[in-house]
Amino acid sequence: MEEVKLLGASPSAFVYRVIWALKLKGVSYEYIEEDLANKSTMLLQYNPVYTKVPVLVHAGKPISESIVIIEYIEETWPENPLLPSDPYEKAKARFWMKFVEDKVMTFVGFFFTKGEAQETAIKDCLEALKTVEEHGLGDKKFFGGDSIGLADIAFGSIVHWLEMMEEVVGTKLVEAHAFPHLHQWIQHFKEVPIIKENLPEWDKALHFYKGRREMVLASN
Amino acid sequence: MANEVTLLDFWPSPFGMRARIALSLKGIEYEYKEENLLEKSPLLLKMNPVHKKIPVLIHNGKSICESLIMVQYIDEVWNDKSPLLPKDPYARAVARFWADFVDKKVYVSGKRIRITKGEEQEAAKKEFIESLKLLENELGDMPYFGGEILGYLDVVLVPFYSWFYTYETYGKFKAECPKLVAWAKRCMENESVSKSLPEQERVYGFDLKLKKVYGIE
């Protein structure tokens, strides 16, 4: 089998999407931890456009942007499919993947602000979560139905990261009574063995994000 | 099964143009419905409740939203002619990466050129030109991003050519990318592209009016 390498940086939510996709497909890979304050020549060479992680390198060829990477993984290793085969259902899955990507900065806003700016960010976050609750999930166990797929992976990484943010900020966004579908979905998602066994270390990640938040708030 | 295809669109939208080009390249017959974005139709609100935006493709009663997703859907359903995405997974990933880049960089910086001034506009112009240079690099010596014939990335990028005059006039600059302009003109030789793109001056006239409506100088 051709060599697979993943350039990442813990505890990046975007890197975890790729880890989950690779593990759900049973693909062996070499993980390389990048120091983002001191980017390696390899990272700069493999992702000259953004110089960001994750980068997947397969048989020496690099792919960047987590959503592009997980679609590549799906197409290259078709066993244990993570996207529906029906074009319309596939389009729906991609719609929700794009939705969560478009909302990332909204969630980041909740985390990196305080006072009035944060109040606005919280309002926007709740609106985004409401949309997923009402239009995306419905009664389904996962976005695509009975089994985990790329939309769950894309969304799950952000939701898990959001849970850490809620703890650091001290404000709960995803209340079970307000978002029953979402709440149920989170339980199902975390019960998937691959997900359960591959989550960032909570305390370590919390410590990391606490530090980041303090740094950003201090500089504003 | 009868194929009923409707496109909810707005003529100056580069995202709508993507759908028009793809549908035309595939020879798909469809009903084009022009939306008034200041007074959105009940159909649009029903078919795209999340974003309430165009373009929306309605295929046998089911709606597909978001232009990049729509073009891929069209490619997958009407897979008997004019393939847009390549077959090889790596080549597909490269095409998708650059399509995402067009949305993140070309569209966003172009928008900022239109609605900002001074330092912010200068920064937007710089980013716009840098983005085009990267795309020129990616094109290399190929006639199209898709190789010998128009492909996914060509469909994704060429609509912004109709906005070039607008960006250059607001920004008071000339986007120095001769290779890309040559590429765009080459694309325009294809009827599917030329009939899907409005004239650059017409787009500029529209944008002037739009800015007045939104009170942007």
Side-chain angles (χ1 to χ4, degrees):
Chain A
M1 199 200 61
E2 310 268 27
E3 203 184 50
V4 180
K5 282 203 250 261
L6 172 61
L7 277 66
S10 206
S12 161
F14 305 104
V15 171
Y16 270 87
R17 289 171 172 173
V18 182
I19 291 172
W20 294 333
L22 287 168
K23 286 194 186 275
L24 282 164
K25 298 280 190 175
V27 176
S28 316
Y29 63 97
E30 181 196 352
Y31 179 78
I32 299 162
E33 177 81 12
E34 278 285 328
D35 174 7
L36 297 181
N38 194 13
K39 293 175 181 178
S40 72
T41 323
M42 190 167 51
L43 175 59
L44 301 176
Q45 177 201 332
Y46 282 142
N47 189 358
V49 174
Y50 299 116
T51 68
K52 280 181 173 178
V53 292
V55 180
L56 188 78
V57 187
H58 184 204
K61 297 196 275 195
I63 301 132
S64 309
E65 294 301 293
S66 62
I67 299 294
V68 176
I69 296 171
I70 62 180
E71 286 242 30
Y72 173 80
I73 291 168
E74 170 65 9
E75 290 179 353
T76 305
W77 292 279
E79 50 287 349
N80 193 21
L82 299 172
L83 269 183
S85 52
D86 172 65
Y88 175 68
E89 295 299 323
K90 208 185 277 192
K92 277 208 296 197
R94 286 178 174 147
F95 177 87
W96 291 107
M97 281 156 67
K98 180 162 203 297
F99 183 84
V100 72
E101 279 313 77
D102 290 346
K103 297 298 172 191
V104 166
M105 286 320 287
T106 305
F107 293 121
V108 168
F110 156 70
F111 182 60
F112 280 133
T113 57
K114 56 183 178 189
E116 230 184 273
Q118 198 186 44
E119 290 298 319
T120 310
I122 289 172
K123 204 168 144 268
D124 292 339
C125 287
L126 290 173
E127 220 180 285
L129 292 168
K130 190 162 171 270
T131 302
V132 179
E133 171 82 12
E134 288 174 10
H135 295 276
L137 282 170
D139 283 332
K140 294 174 288 170
K141 193 173 175 197
F142 296 104
F143 276 93
D146 287 326
S147 55
I148 192 173
L150 292 189
D152 304 281
I153 289 172
F155 196 58
S157 68
I158 301 301
V159 168
H160 180 74
W161 173 89
L162 188 61
E163 285 183 334
M164 284 189 250
M165 303 307 115
E166 288 173 327
E167 176 123 352
V168 171
V169 171
T171 302
K172 193 118 181 80
L173 288 178
V174 190
E175 305 256 27
H177 65 89
F179 301 103
H181 291 144
L182 210 47
H183 193 76
Q184 272 248 307
W185 171 83
I186 293 170
Q187 311 311 314
H188 289 140
F189 181 73
K190 293 219 196 134
E191 276 162 19
V192 174
I194 294 283
I195 306 298
K196 197 172 178 180
E197 293 156 17
N198 291 283
L199 289 168
E201 230 185 279
W202 184 261
D203 291 329
K204 201 169 164 204
L206 222 58
H207 177 80
F208 171 82
Y209 284 119
K210 230 178 223 151
R212 291 289 313 276
R213 184 165 196 254
E214 275 161 24
M215 205 171 66
V216 172
L217 291 180
S219 66
N220 279 349
Chain B
M1 184 177 73
N3 256 326
E4 268 185 47
V5 184
T6 305
L7 180 68
L8 305 182
D9 201 349
F10 182 48
W11 68 267
S13 162
F15 307 106
M17 289 175 217
R18 289 170 174 172
R20 284 172 237 163
I21 298 169
L23 288 164
S24 177
L25 284 170
K26 297 280 188 178
I28 300 162
E29 272 185 40
Y30 67 99
E31 187 191 0
Y32 179 91
K33 279 199 167 145
E34 189 77 30
E35 282 285 329
N36 173 2
L37 297 185
L38 295 173
E39 217 182 296
K40 293 174 181 179
S41 74
L43 183 61
L44 173 57
L45 300 178
K46 178 177 172 218
M47 289 295 165
N48 191 356
V50 172
H51 299 299
K52 307 178 177 60
K53 283 181 171 180
I54 57 92
V56 179
L57 186 77
I58 309 171
H59 182 206
N60 295 331
K62 295 200 266 199
S63 63
I64 297 101
C65 310
E66 300 294 320
S67 63
L68 295 183
I69 296 171
M70 207 177 288
V71 173
Q72 289 182 79
Y73 174 84
I74 291 167
D75 199 32
E76 286 162 15
V77 172
W78 289 275
N79 54 17
D80 51 336
K81 76 179 267 206
S82 298
L84 298 175
L85 272 171
K87 286 213 168 10
D88 171 62
Y90 186 72
R92 290 160 76 87
V94 171
R96 285 181 176 133
F97 171 86
W98 288 107
D100 175 68
F101 177 86
V102 170
D103 279 0
K104 276 195 185 60
K105 297 288 181 184
V106 176
Y107 168 65
V108 171
S109 59
K111 190 175 175 180
R112 276 167 49 217
I113 291 172
R114 283 171 53 231
I115 65 177
T116 66
K117 285 198 152 60
E119 249 179 68
E120 219 187 317
Q121 196 190 47
E122 288 304 309
K125 278 156 67 175
K126 190 165 170 278
E127 194 179 340
F128 184 76
I129 294 167
E130 275 169 12
S131 308
L132 294 185
K133 290 254 171 277
L134 281 173
L135 283 160
E136 267 195 334
N137 212 45
E138 181 61 20
L139 181 65
D141 289 322
M142 295 190 293
Y144 304 101
F145 287 97
E148 291 304 316
I149 53 168
L150 282 171
Y152 179 67
L153 188 53
D154 303 279
V155 173
V156 163
L157 179 61
V158 81
F160 292 97
Y161 181 61
S162 68
W163 280 79
F164 263 30
Y165 179 74
T166 303
Y167 299 141
E168 289 177 334
T169 308
Y170 284 135
K172 297 190 179 53
F173 75 117
K174 258 289 184 226
E176 293 290 344
C177 50
K179 225 195 217 172
L180 221 52
V181 173
W183 159 81
K185 291 189 170 151
R186 199 175 299 128
C187 290
M188 291 289 276
E189 285 167 14
N190 186 310
E191 208 194 344
S192 291
V193 177
S194 61
K195 69 176 188 186
S196 302
L197 262 57
E199 274 163 32
Q200 295 197 37
E201 276 85 2
R202 189 176 169 219
V203 170
Y204 177 65
F206 154 76
D207 201 50
L208 272 179
K209 270 197 248 164
L210 181 74
K211 282 170 70 155
K212 278 206 182 89
V213 167
Y214 285 103
I216 304 167
E217 300 264 307

